[in-house]
Amino acid sequence: MKQNISLEEAQDTLLTNITLPEESKIPLIDALGKILSQDIVSQHNIPFFDRSPVDGYALLTSDTVNATPAQPVRVKVLEEIPAGYVATSKVIPGTTVKVMTGAPIPEGADVVVKYEEVERQGGFISVFEPLKFQENVVYAGEDVKIGEVVAKKGIVVSPALVGLLAGMGIASVPVYHPVKVGILSTGDELISIGEALRPGKIYDSNRYTLQARCLELGVEPVMLGTVMDRQDQVTDRIREGMKHANVFITTGGVSVGDYDVIQDALQELGAEILFWKVDIKPGSPILAAVKDGKLIIGLSGNPVAALLTFDLLVVPMLKKMMGREKYLYSKIQGTMRDGFKKSSEKRRFLRARLLMENGNTLVKLTGIQNNSALKSMMECNIFVDVPAGSGPLNPGDVVSAHVMGNIDYIDA
Ligand code: AMP
Ligand code: MG
């Protein structure tokens, strides 16, 4: 077992121990938000046929070369084609076919002139100027070409992709099965919301934080409940959970105290311990183990540490397990708006939010930075990465940060 390893080494260890879920084809609309498990190759040109993007008349450019307002060219209207129908006549010199938006371009025609640009008299139209070759003609395959990869394996199926696939006539889509994440809280002090508060007890909030985060991420939480700081209870609950989940997250009981039973419980279960303790603050006591190809990650019970280390370490791993093409967080730089008084002997992550002020990227700390102040996670969308051995941070210092959510810059 490795101990006191860097965040990067811990991350690599988790990423190399994952297994991808199974895949299957599911109905198109059910694929929304899921991850594509195969590239989608178009069997068609989109549009399927050359079509008119306007209401107008399809004709030959060569007929209009000498057209002027004083001496317009007259051509004969052969028929009228709404969207959804095909012309029966071929356009030859001196003739035209009236087409509606979305109608196929009749054979022979190479241009469409808009209604409002011609004059109709009985069975004829007058054209007043030379037309440009291929104007108002949308060619087959302009949007998507036959054989083109329209969506790559590993992307999240979006509403636009659902529409694109529907436009190609695709009824079922290959996606990965959802990753099932077993969530277990441990601690004698924990009671459930809804129960009356008793002296010395606290509500188990971690199970909800992690359940919510899993739902937001698009993985399926499997709630294994709350157990006491008892080795046998932890072992039993995880053993039972093995039937229902592919990866496990526990909170609490991973430090060095007398009641920190997770490590012994995992050993009793026959799991191989991969590492214990990561050199970061907060949340350094992290334990990772693997049993029958399934990862078990024990996080500190501290509400902030649990969520921060879940985001920092577990989310990239879950994204990779989901089959997502991009699973690592991005890094950005910004200027500290506020100071941070403490020195950082260990590498430290601060909860912060990225702001825009007069075009500059500012980093605003989102509240007090102690381990249990979960409120500071609410506005947080970046974790400032303060290197080990840093002194206090001053306003104006440039820092680097890990991007944790979607960055929707807000004004200072
Ligand atoms: P531990 O990691 O077990 O040493 O717990 C660290 C701190 O987090 C203690 O103050 C615990 O009471 C608290 N804590 C542990 N588990 C939870 C939980 N599920 N929800 C809220 N707080 C917790
Ligand atoms: Mg505890």
Side-chain angles (χ1 to χ4, degrees):
M1 171 183 65
K2 293 182 277 191
Q3 271 199 50
N4 300 311
I5 60 175
S6 69
L7 178 67
E8 286 70 19
E9 191 177 352
Q11 187 79 88
D12 281 351
T13 308
L14 295 182
L15 292 174
T16 52
N17 275 284
I18 66 132
T19 44
L20 278 177
E22 288 174 26
E23 49 179 308
S24 58
K25 280 194 164 184
I26 62 171
L28 176 61
I29 196 67
D30 297 339
L32 180 69
K34 301 211 162 54
I35 313 295
L36 272 190
S37 59
Q38 283 168 34
D39 289 352
I40 305 283
V41 177
S42 181
Q43 309 293 324
H44 299 284
N45 281 319
I46 307 278
F48 298 134
F49 46 81
D50 300 346
R51 67 174 174 83
S52 174
V54 295
D55 292 324
Y57 291 88
L59 66 165
L60 284 155
T61 321
S62 53
D63 276 356
T64 67
V65 179
N66 298 317
T68 64
Q71 286 202 307
V73 169
R74 262 164 70 85
V75 287
K76 186 172 188 286
V77 182
L78 299 175
E79 60 177 315
E80 183 173 312
I81 306 299
Y85 298 90
V86 178
T88 52
S89 16
K90 187 176 171 194
V91 172
I92 54 168
T95 69
T96 183
V97 165
K98 185 175 173 185
V99 286
M100 317 293 157
T101 303
I105 303 290
E107 199 189 330
D110 61 22
V111 67
V112 176
V113 59
K114 291 182 186 166
Y115 280 6
E116 55 270 31
E117 290 168 4
V118 299
E119 218 173 84
R120 174 109 186 214
Q121 302 105 0
F124 289 84
I125 57 162
S126 297
V127 182
F128 299 94
E129 56 181 6
L131 299 175
K132 282 196 216 87
F133 182 57
Q134 295 183 341
E135 192 161 37
N136 295 322
V137 177
V138 175
Y139 282 92
E142 195 173 280
D143 191 10
V144 176
K145 299 221 164 16
I146 191 163
E148 183 181 325
V149 175
V150 289
K152 282 193 111 43
K153 162 182 173 171
I155 68 163
V156 183
V157 178
S158 66
L161 179 57
V162 167
L164 189 63
L165 298 181
M168 288 160 45
I170 292 178
S172 61
V173 186
V175 295
Y176 288 110
H177 289 189
V179 175
K180 294 183 178 163
V181 185
I183 297 173
L184 176 68
S185 298
T186 70
D188 286 11
E189 70 277 39
L190 303 177
I191 55 173
S192 297
I193 55 175
E195 275 185 64
L197 204 51
R198 300 195 300 279
K201 304 290 180 188
I202 61 168
Y203 290 114
D204 174 1
S205 64
N206 286 344
R207 59 179 288 182
Y208 290 99
T209 317
L210 298 187
Q211 183 181 13
R213 191 71 180 92
C214 282
L215 290 170
E216 186 185 56
L217 192 66
V219 294
E220 197 176 298
V222 176
M223 303 315 290
L224 303 178
T226 310
V227 294
M228 304 188 76
D229 292 308
R230 291 254 313 271
Q231 190 175 320
D232 56 339
Q233 288 191 4
V234 175
T235 314
D236 287 351
R237 217 44 92 80
I238 294 182
R239 190 179 285 129
E240 173 59 25
M242 282 278 167
K243 296 179 203 147
H244 310 289
N246 348 77
V247 55
F248 297 85
I249 312 297
T250 67
T251 60
V254 282
S255 288
V256 289
D258 293 344
Y259 296 90
D260 292 328
V261 299
I262 301 288
Q263 188 161 170
D264 291 342
L266 294 183
Q267 257 149 2
E268 185 189 331
L269 198 69
E272 178 200 348
I273 309 285
L274 299 171
F275 63 80
W276 183 35
K277 292 187 186 162
V278 179
D279 281 331
I280 54 167
K281 222 175 141 64
S284 81
I286 300 170
L287 183 72
V290 62
K291 159 91 177 149
D292 301 334
K294 296 183 176 182
L295 282 161
I296 307 160
I297 297 143
L299 303 177
S300 157
N302 246 303
V304 168
L307 181 53
L308 183 137
T309 50
F310 185 85
D311 276 350
L312 213 51
L313 203 58
V314 180
V315 167
M317 177 201 86
L318 288 178
K319 283 184 176 168
K320 188 172 181 196
M321 279 188 78
M322 292 165 82
R324 285 177 70 152
E325 182 193 24
K326 183 177 182 324
Y327 48 84
L328 293 176
Y329 33 72
S330 314
K331 295 180 187 179
I332 54 113
Q333 291 213 318
T335 307
M336 290 291 284
R337 195 191 71 164
D338 326 292
F340 179 70
K341 287 201 182 71
K342 283 189 189 164
S343 297
S344 301
E345 198 182 314
K346 259 192 173 187
R347 180 175 180 185
R348 187 200 291 275
F349 286 94
L350 300 173
R351 282 88 74 190
R353 186 170 186 88
L354 212 57
L355 303 174
M356 273 312 259
E357 194 178 67
N358 306 326
N360 295 318
T361 304
L362 284 191
V363 173
K364 172 197 166 199
L365 297 181
T366 48
I368 51 168
Q369 299 286 326
N370 79 32
N371 260 3
S372 53
L374 195 54
K375 228 167 66 178
S376 65
M377 289 293 281
M378 280 179 26
E379 279 218 312
C380 169
N381 60 7
I382 55 170
F383 292 144
V384 177
D385 186 357
V386 185
S390 299
L393 297 175
N394 299 309
D397 284 355
V398 173
V399 290
S400 66
H402 295 198
V403 176
M404 284 303 134
N406 292 328
I407 293 288
D408 46 343
Y409 285 98
I410 57 169
D411 292 328

